[in-house]
Amino acid sequence: TLFGTAFAADVVTIDDFEYADEAAANAAWVAQGTSQPAGLLPHADGKALKMPCPFAEDVERAYYDRAVNLDLLHAGAITFDFYADTDGVAGSCVIYFHSVDGWYRGGFSANKGWNRISLGKGVFGVEDNPAGWDKIDTIRLAIWRGRPENSFCAIDNLQARTEEVAVICGGSGSEARAAQGIAKQLCTFLDRTGLPY
């Protein structure tokens, strides 16, 4: 509650990772390149997808794809729980959403243990020519090598959230930079108040 008003989000669970066994998890989240097959990590809230990070070997990243058919046009943020078994094992982490001819990518970092990650769609960059958030056909999870040691990461509770408050950044040409600056400043104020948007 903020200023006496309750704000509620519409939440769509993309994946709760409660797979029956590791074979089912691997059928859904397919290891790419030289990545090792994923596993399952039991924890207090059920199961999470366990992603091996054999970075003591000559491996640049571990990454996994899941085929989907999602309309995330109205979602304002992507949220999930992310676990790192070792500090520094991941140089960086990225979640990608593929849409026909391109990707939306959101980078994040994680400390050792469980981390709650929330990525507003405004922080996602673009690769190639994605067709729109309403045509998402693949999700990719990528962990890039940090420290050269063998460890693992895990993900749980992957959700799309639509909040009651939105920050919309418009403007083009010479106005674009000013609009982006004002939008970022407003987001900072909202973060300080604890108001989701």
Side-chain angles (χ1 to χ4, degrees), residues 48-65:
L49 186 75
K50 182 178 179 181
M51 299 167 286
C53 299
F55 294 151
E57 304 164 28
D58 188 21
V59 174
E60 183 179 4
R61 65 175 172 166
Y63 64 115
Y64 302 83
D65 286 1

Side-chain angles (χ1 to χ4, degrees), residues 71-104:
D71 180 349
L72 299 178
L73 183 63
H74 298 292
I78 304 299
T79 63
F80 50 91
D81 297 314
F82 194 85
Y83 180 86
D85 192 53
T86 308
D87 264 328
V89 66
S92 64
C93 306
V94 184
I95 185 167
Y96 298 86
F97 292 87
H98 188 261
S99 177
V100 186
D101 292 320
W103 299 86
Y104 299 103

Side-chain angles (χ1 to χ4, degrees), residues 181-195:
I182 292 167
K184 286 180 181 179
Q185 187 175 31
L186 177 56
C187 291
T188 299
F189 294 150
L190 292 172
D191 287 337
R192 288 177 183 167
T193 65
L195 179 63

